[in-house]
Amino acid sequence: GAGVSQTPSNKVTEKGKYVELRCDPISGHTALYWYRQSLGQGPEFLIYFQGTGAADDSGLPNDRFFAVRPEGSVSTLKIQRTERGDSAVYLCASSSPGREQFFGPGTRLTVL
Amino acid sequence: GIQVEQSPPDLILQEGANSTLRCNFSDSVNNLQWFHQNPWGQLINLFYIPSGTKQNGRLSATTVATERYSLLYISSSQTTDSGVYFCAVVARSNYQLIWGAGTKLIIKP
């Protein structure tokens, strides 16, 4: 079917607010990944799901960040008490396990 | 952890020129991917190439896994080739992509 989709494409919020970012993977892909990209840098890994479970969350920067994938398809990245340093593009990717990863267009988060 | 180095960091060429981008990695990998990030930020898959050689139109790539490097060739460059080219690898003990810093390519008309 279609590629990876992410919503919203842009999100502007105020410091201290809560935000949710959504990722809809390619149909049939059981592996889902979240990355974060700051200006002028390559993406950095945040969390990896295989099915419904978070197989590796070692990239989450602190406990303000949390992600879920309750039915093994759509995933939501949740950020509590946002800080200005959280401003970045949040990228989602999906794949068959261990295979080529395909990326969505990203959500640009700006924390004022 | 595994390190990924890309060279050159910046490249400015005239339309029609050829170029070679290099990616070195410090350990064995299960997966290597080349991406083009366009000016709008979208990551476009170019090659999935943990080893061997592949070609797609004006682009080709070669990965020599035993020597821990990969090359991306762009022939007859067009202005639409401008953007940042990333190499990313998955270490054998993991699933996440580890990224190089990218090569910023500018093609002048």
Side-chain angles (χ1 to χ4, degrees):
Chain A
V4 179
S5 62
Q6 293 186 245
T7 54
S9 54
N10 283 283
K11 176 70 177 178
V12 180
T13 191
E14 294 180 342
K15 180 176 179 295
K17 299 291 188 181
Y18 169 83
V19 297
E20 289 189 350
L21 312 179
R22 176 188 168 108
C23 171
D24 203 337
I26 292 171
S27 178
H29 280 181
T30 59
L32 185 146
Y33 315 78
W34 284 97
Y35 295 84
R36 178 169 73 172
Q37 186 175 24
S38 299
L39 193 63
Q41 300 180 19
E44 293 179 319
F45 170 76
L46 295 176
I47 187 169
Y48 157 62
F49 287 90
Q50 177 53 46
T52 59
D56 182 354
D57 65 357
S58 62
L60 294 177
N62 52 59
D63 61 6
R64 295 186 298 105
F65 288 75
F66 189 70
V68 296
R69 195 185 185 198
E71 298 179 357
S73 179
V74 171
S75 176
T76 304
L77 178 65
K78 307 180 181 192
I79 310 174
Q80 299 177 322
R81 304 184 304 280
T82 52
E83 300 178 356
R84 293 194 180 87
D86 299 335
S87 296
V89 176
Y90 289 80
L91 295 163
C92 177
S94 72
S95 75
S96 296
R99 303 295 294 176
E100 185 175 8
Q101 296 183 28
F102 295 87
F103 282 77
T107 294
R108 183 175 300 277
L109 176 66
T110 303
V111 182
L112 301 177
Chain B
I2 195 168
Q3 304 294 316
V4 181
E5 295 183 353
Q6 291 186 244
S7 59
D10 299 278
L11 189 57
I12 301 174
L13 298 171
Q14 289 295 131
E15 199 168 24
N18 301 330
S19 58
T20 301
L21 282 58
R22 186 175 180 104
C23 173
N24 293 333
F25 43 97
S26 61
D27 204 347
S28 299
V29 298
N30 275 343
N31 175 7
L32 186 147
Q33 292 185 238
W34 282 98
F35 297 89
H36 175 210
Q37 190 163 44
N38 65 23
W40 296 270
Q42 176 71 53
L43 282 165
I44 299 164
N45 288 41
L46 298 178
F47 294 102
Y48 170 73
I49 188 166
S51 64
T53 297
K54 292 186 177 180
Q55 181 156 6
N56 184 4
R58 296 181 296 103
L59 275 61
S60 64
T62 295
T63 296
V64 183
T66 53
E67 297 187 19
R68 299 180 184 167
Y69 73 89
S70 183
L71 302 173
L72 177 68
Y73 306 96
I74 305 173
S75 64
S76 304
S77 299
Q78 301 175 358
T79 56
T80 52
D81 294 333
S82 296
V84 181
Y85 288 79
F86 285 105
C87 168
V89 304
V90 176
R92 289 201 169 171
S93 57
N94 220 321
Y95 294 95
Q96 58 177 280
L97 282 169
I98 306 297
W99 299 73
T103 292
K104 184 175 182 180
L105 177 64
I106 297 174
I107 304 298
K108 293 187 172 182

